[in-house]
Amino acid sequence: MSNFNNPDFAEGLRCQNLGLYPQAFDFFITIESAGYERTFRKCCEMAWSNQLQERQMDRLIYELDMEVKRKNGIAVYNYGLVMEYKRNIPKATELFKLADELKVPDARTALMRILIGPK
């Protein structure tokens, strides 16, 4: 999300702070879907904070799969973080490798953390 001054983003944060996670997700996913820099960062943060319902997680995964096809490095990296959190290590490894190939700076560190870390 490139425009943090967006009133919808502020409303999403307000909803999130109030524990209104479905409403916050709706604001964040709408902003991302309409944006040019589709990173899905706030939605991914919500995923690894256990703030998403199953249908919202399904929507996020669908959107992130689309970004993989578009070779959107930052979104691929964020997707990898979600998969690592969900303990889907094979998928996280695949995503971090792709993000590294797409020149995302933190991807190699994340990949090494998975490959070298405790099993």
Side-chain angles (χ1 to χ4, degrees):
M1 286 180 232
S2 60
N3 189 355
F4 294 110
N5 294 321
N6 181 322
D8 288 336
F9 184 80
E11 187 63 17
L13 287 177
R14 188 184 75 76
C15 289
Q16 188 179 24
N17 290 336
L18 291 172
L20 302 171
Y21 303 128
Q23 294 87 338
F25 177 82
D26 289 343
F27 278 107
F28 296 140
I29 199 84
T30 300
I31 293 166
E32 291 285 2
S33 296
Y36 294 107
E37 297 177 35
R38 298 164 54 100
T39 66
F40 293 92
R41 180 64 185 198
K42 283 302 290 179
C43 297
C44 289
E45 287 176 5
M46 291 182 75
W48 65 66
S49 297
N50 289 320
Q51 296 175 345
L52 298 184
Q53 298 169 348
E54 187 176 338
R55 70 173 180 79
Q56 294 165 327
M57 182 62 88
D58 291 344
R59 170 82 190 277
L60 177 58
I61 297 301
Y62 171 81
E63 295 292 341
L64 291 169
D65 282 335
M66 300 310 299
E67 295 308 307
V68 169
K69 291 176 185 170
R70 292 182 181 112
K71 301 211 182 295
N72 177 342
I74 300 296
V76 170
Y77 173 74
N78 288 336
Y79 191 5
L81 292 173
V82 171
M83 290 295 101
E84 181 182 17
Y85 173 76
K86 292 290 189 180
R87 304 231 185 268
N88 186 341
I89 301 306
K91 182 71 173 179
T93 302
E94 170 191 332
L95 292 164
F96 288 144
K97 283 180 184 175
L98 178 56
D100 185 47
E101 291 168 10
L102 295 170
K103 308 291 188 226
V104 176
D106 294 333
R108 183 160 292 174
T109 302
L111 182 58
M112 292 292 110
R113 180 179 64 241
I114 285 179
L115 296 176
I116 296 172
K119 303 294 182 215

